[in-house]
Amino acid sequence: MEKTYNQAPLPFVGQKRMFVNEFRRALKEFNGKTTFIDLFGGSGLLSHVAKRTRPDARVIYNDHDNYRERLRNIDRTNALLADLRGLAGTFPRHGMVTGKLRECFIERIKADETTGFVDYITLSSSLLFSGKYARSMQELEKQNLYNKIKKTDYRCDGYLDGLETVCCDYKELAEKYAGNPDVVFLADPPYMATDISTYKMDWKLSDYLDVLLVLERNPFVYFTSGKSPILDFCGWMEKHLDVRNPFAGAGKRTLTAHMNYNSSYTDIMLYRPL
């Protein structure tokens, strides 16, 4: 019997593990549909659940973030964590790793980086304070390390079985199947007003709005957040169909402000003399 995962095998920010049961219920609303396309594949959890729930359907997983590379290297990641676990020995669980032990941790991680691949997202969940992620050795060395190393190996047996995997721009994929009533778009884009630093994309407001355009002609399941103003914005637009861009022709100046060594934002000034 094929294993069904209720969460992604490796850590991924924004995976829908808390939504799995509700997602399964929503899929029952599309019993007559033949194809599900996961436009923003992420960890592949939506694709995996869709295929396990509807084994008769075609499921296309758009692996835009190259999650497959992390899965392919899962044995390497397990070996690295096992070595770090051995170095930690009886060091207190959740204790801050400092001094010689920290140096040993960094040295061991660098050894893997010089010989191939390091899954920094998975490593972050074992070494960094909750909610923090590093994407490189440079970022990791700036962080405080903690002994949160997972005690058992990660497994991904059969996780992507039965899926058709592609890697392309979601618009290209959506355009190919636009207007086909038998194709359901699964759309879980990065959320507005949330941290998207671990995604391999840099999104602006226009990108969030572009997603809505591809949903007009197909059945869909769309995910967003209470922190996102996107639904309020769409409701406002529906009431003000004649609104033009008030900033058209305005001058623009920008200034980069640094909050700390690892965080900055851009202040923008727009002006248009009447």
Side-chain angles (χ1 to χ4, degrees):
M1 181 179 297
E2 291 182 310
K3 178 179 179 180
T4 297
Y5 291 77
N6 291 317
Q7 65 180 40
L10 293 172
F12 190 90
V13 179
Q15 62 167 294
K16 291 295 169 289
R17 61 187 181 88
M18 302 299 291
F19 245 115
V20 165
N21 288 333
E22 292 300 326
F23 179 55
R24 288 194 182 102
R25 294 187 184 99
L27 289 173
K28 294 179 181 178
E29 302 293 325
F30 303 96
N31 281 336
K33 307 306 178 183
T34 59
T35 302
F36 295 85
I37 302 180
D38 194 351
L39 296 176
F40 305 88
S43 69
L45 184 60
L46 292 180
S47 293
H48 171 83
V49 172
K51 188 62 180 178
R52 292 297 186 272
T53 305
R54 286 288 310 280
D56 59 305
R58 180 186 183 195
V59 179
I60 300 175
Y61 165 46
N62 186 20
D63 186 18
H64 186 276
D65 291 282
N66 201 11
Y67 191 72
R68 286 171 298 168
E69 181 182 31
R70 297 174 58 197
L71 295 179
R72 284 194 296 267
N73 285 276
I74 199 167
D75 289 340
R76 186 182 180 95
T77 299
N78 284 332
L80 171 58
L81 292 176
D83 286 352
L84 295 179
R85 199 180 299 119
L87 290 171
T90 58
F91 190 81
R93 185 79 173 160
H94 298 293
M96 183 183 293
V97 179
T98 60
K100 184 64 176 178
L101 182 57
R102 177 187 169 92
E103 292 176 9
C104 289
F105 273 27
I106 296 297
E107 183 180 350
R108 174 61 186 87
I109 298 167
K110 284 183 175 179
D112 258 24
E113 188 169 70
T114 57
T115 58
F117 177 85
V118 176
D119 182 351
Y120 281 101
I121 301 299
T122 298
L123 196 61
S124 294
S125 68
S126 281
L127 295 179
L128 299 185
F129 193 77
S130 180
K132 289 187 174 292
Y133 290 89
R135 295 168 296 177
S136 66
M137 174 55 70
Q138 183 180 11
E139 291 183 5
L140 186 68
E141 286 186 294
K142 294 177 181 178
Q143 303 279 356
N144 292 324
L145 304 186
Y146 297 86
N147 179 26
K148 298 169 50 188
I149 303 170
K150 191 172 183 290
K151 294 183 178 182
T152 57
D153 285 349
Y154 287 100
R155 308 302 309 172
C156 64
D157 309 58
Y159 182 63
L160 299 181
D161 287 358
L163 305 182
E164 294 182 35
T165 305
V166 299
C167 182
C168 62
D169 183 271
Y170 81 91
K171 293 180 183 178
E172 175 186 337
L173 193 57
E175 182 61 29
K176 182 177 179 180
Y177 295 93
N180 187 331
D182 290 325
V183 174
V184 180
F185 289 153
L186 308 178
D188 181 26
Y191 289 172
M192 292 180 67
T194 58
D195 182 15
I196 61 170
S197 60
T198 58
Y199 293 92
K200 295 183 178 179
M201 57 180 71
D202 181 21
W203 275 47
K204 305 179 293 295
L205 175 60
S206 59
D207 296 303
Y208 293 105
L209 296 177
D210 283 346
V211 175
L212 305 183
L213 296 178
V214 308
L215 303 180
E216 285 189 312
R217 297 167 60 190
N218 287 74
F220 64 83
V221 179
Y222 174 76
F223 293 87
T224 187
S225 164
K227 292 183 179 180
S228 170
I230 195 72
L231 297 183
D232 284 342
F233 179 77
C234 289
W236 187 88
M237 288 294 294
E238 190 174 10
K239 298 175 183 177
H240 302 84
L241 300 178
D242 59 340
V243 172
R244 298 185 303 133
N245 179 7
F247 303 117
K252 180 180 178 180
R253 295 291 184 270
T254 62
L255 175 69
T256 300
H258 296 276
M259 300 174 64
N260 53 51
Y261 67 85
N262 198 36
S263 180
S264 64
Y265 64 93
T266 301
D267 267 335
I268 300 174
M269 177 179 71
L270 296 165
Y271 59 95
R272 187 184 63 195
L274 292 176

